[in-house]
Amino acid sequence: MSKLPDFEGLAIFAKVVELRSFAAAATELSLSKATVSKAVSRLEERLGARLFNRTSRRLALTDAGQKLSERAARLLADGEAAENEALAQSTTPRGLVRLAVPMSFGIKTVAPLLPEFMEAYPEVAIDLHLSDATVDLIGEGFDAGLRIARLPDSSLIARRLCGMPRYTVAAPSYLKRYGRPTHPMHLAEHKCFGYAYLSTQGVWHYTNASGEQASVRPAGQLRVNNGEAVMPALLAGLGIADLPDFIVGDAIARGEVEVILKGWKQPEGAVHLVTPPGGPRPARVEVLADFLARHFAKGRAQRK
């Protein structure tokens, strides 16, 4: 009977290819660099072919390595999927949750909750990825992500965790100097701050109580890819901003900025936990979703 394939060696090889580094693969797999190097050398000896051309500065696949890399990556992905499926059936949540969260929301709202979660679920580890860009959960291997918006149609599985209103705001000094807009179309005549990751690419949408709708594409001196970065210019009275409650809510409560266009509402936003399709969510993801939902709801109730 022939020996079993070197599954460990193939998985380690796939991780080195993915990260383009022996050291990075060792860190990712919690192994020593020597262990990773030996596993690849063992695989090369078994196959009778060199898989990498290595120098002190560069790591490149050989032809043999290139041909093997796709199958090895598939083997690693299948192994991770099988393990995740088994973990999903476990009554005790355990394992790693790779979670993608918008930058400011992650720092201001999610990160402060993690110590309590880690105390409650000591066998669950969190890999928190912070970015305002929309992350490809499937392509980048995330277990879940938080999205703060009206969700477009997609294959992702979504769970609504809490509402998240948006406000059009300006500092009192700006309103004193430039006047107070009373209709969304007036925004075209004002200095407004832009945000790079709006789902409608810089267009602000409004509806009033009578059902009238208005959409405007405002312009100004500053455009950012993180909502928090608007706050200094907003507080300095240099423009009007459209921001979610978690960023601007405290400034509104302190009177540092004022909500304008009060007779107009924007499309209702919400915080959603999204996960890749296919099968039940692992227990470790479910307990994190339940934990966040409880705390977000409590926070919204306290603000009201």
Side-chain angles (χ1 to χ4, degrees):
M1 180 182 294
S2 61
K3 294 189 295 183
L4 285 171
D6 185 353
F7 292 113
E8 181 185 54
L10 288 166
I12 291 174
F13 165 70
K15 186 59 69 174
V16 174
V17 173
E18 176 188 337
L19 301 177
R20 295 291 175 179
S21 165
F22 277 70
T27 300
E28 178 89 1
L29 297 171
S30 299
L31 300 172
S32 69
K33 187 177 177 182
T35 298
V36 171
S37 182
K38 286 177 182 177
V40 173
S41 296
R42 184 178 71 241
L43 190 61
E44 289 178 326
E45 182 177 351
R46 180 185 179 109
L47 299 175
R50 181 178 292 276
L51 301 175
F52 293 105
N53 288 320
R54 285 170 266 183
T55 67
S56 59
R57 295 185 178 181
R58 190 166 181 269
L59 183 69
L61 286 167
T62 63
D63 287 342
Q66 187 68 50
K67 292 175 182 176
L68 182 64
S69 62
E70 184 176 339
R71 288 182 178 272
R74 190 157 56 244
L75 175 69
L76 176 60
D78 287 345
E80 290 175 339
E83 186 175 85
N84 288 339
E85 187 174 335
L87 284 171
Q89 307 307 316
S90 172
T91 57
T92 302
R94 60 169 61 90
L96 176 67
V97 178
R98 298 195 69 226
L99 179 67
V101 181
M103 177 73 71
S104 294
F105 189 71
I107 293 172
K108 293 167 68 72
T109 306
V110 177
L113 298 177
L114 292 184
E116 182 180 341
F117 178 82
M118 292 159 65
E119 287 281 353
Y121 299 98
E123 294 188 66
V124 178
I126 304 293
D127 180 356
L128 184 64
H129 176 90
L130 300 173
S131 174
D132 282 353
T134 301
V135 173
D136 179 358
L137 296 185
I138 299 171
E140 297 184 41
F142 284 96
D143 297 289
L146 295 183
R147 302 274 169 87
I148 306 173
R150 289 181 302 155
L151 292 182
D153 292 337
S154 79
S155 61
L156 298 176
I157 301 170
R159 173 180 173 182
R160 189 182 189 276
L161 301 184
C162 69
M164 183 57 66
R166 299 184 67 87
Y167 303 107
T168 305
V169 294
S173 59
Y174 178 91
L175 298 174
K176 183 177 180 180
R177 183 176 181 184
Y178 296 104
R180 181 184 297 269
T182 58
H183 190 283
M185 301 313 294
H186 294 165
L187 294 174
E189 303 165 7
H190 283 263
K191 303 174 186 294
C192 298
F193 302 127
Y195 178 61
Y197 295 126
L198 279 179
S199 58
T200 52
Q201 291 298 311
V203 179
W204 299 0
H205 299 282
Y206 298 88
T207 305
N208 66 13
S210 63
E212 180 186 354
Q213 297 184 346
S215 297
V216 61
R217 189 185 296 274
Q221 289 179 276
L222 179 63
R223 185 172 185 265
V224 300
N225 66 356
N226 175 267
E228 193 78 23
V230 163
M231 291 303 295
L234 176 67
L235 296 177
L238 299 178
I240 295 172
D242 171 55
L243 293 168
D245 181 74
F246 74 88
I247 289 180
V248 78
D250 289 340
I252 294 172
R254 292 191 295 264
E256 295 171 339
V257 297
E258 298 179 20
V259 178
I260 61 175
L261 302 175
K262 288 187 177 180
W264 295 81
K265 291 187 176 181
Q266 298 179 355
E268 178 67 23
V271 180
H272 294 87
L273 182 127
V274 294
T275 53
R281 289 190 180 109
R284 64 189 187 279
V285 175
E286 277 299 318
V287 294
L288 179 60
D290 291 342
F291 176 87
L292 294 176
R294 288 195 304 273
H295 283 75
F296 293 166
K298 185 189 304 181
R300 293 289 303 140
Q302 290 173 349
R303 186 178 291 281
K304 291 178 181 179

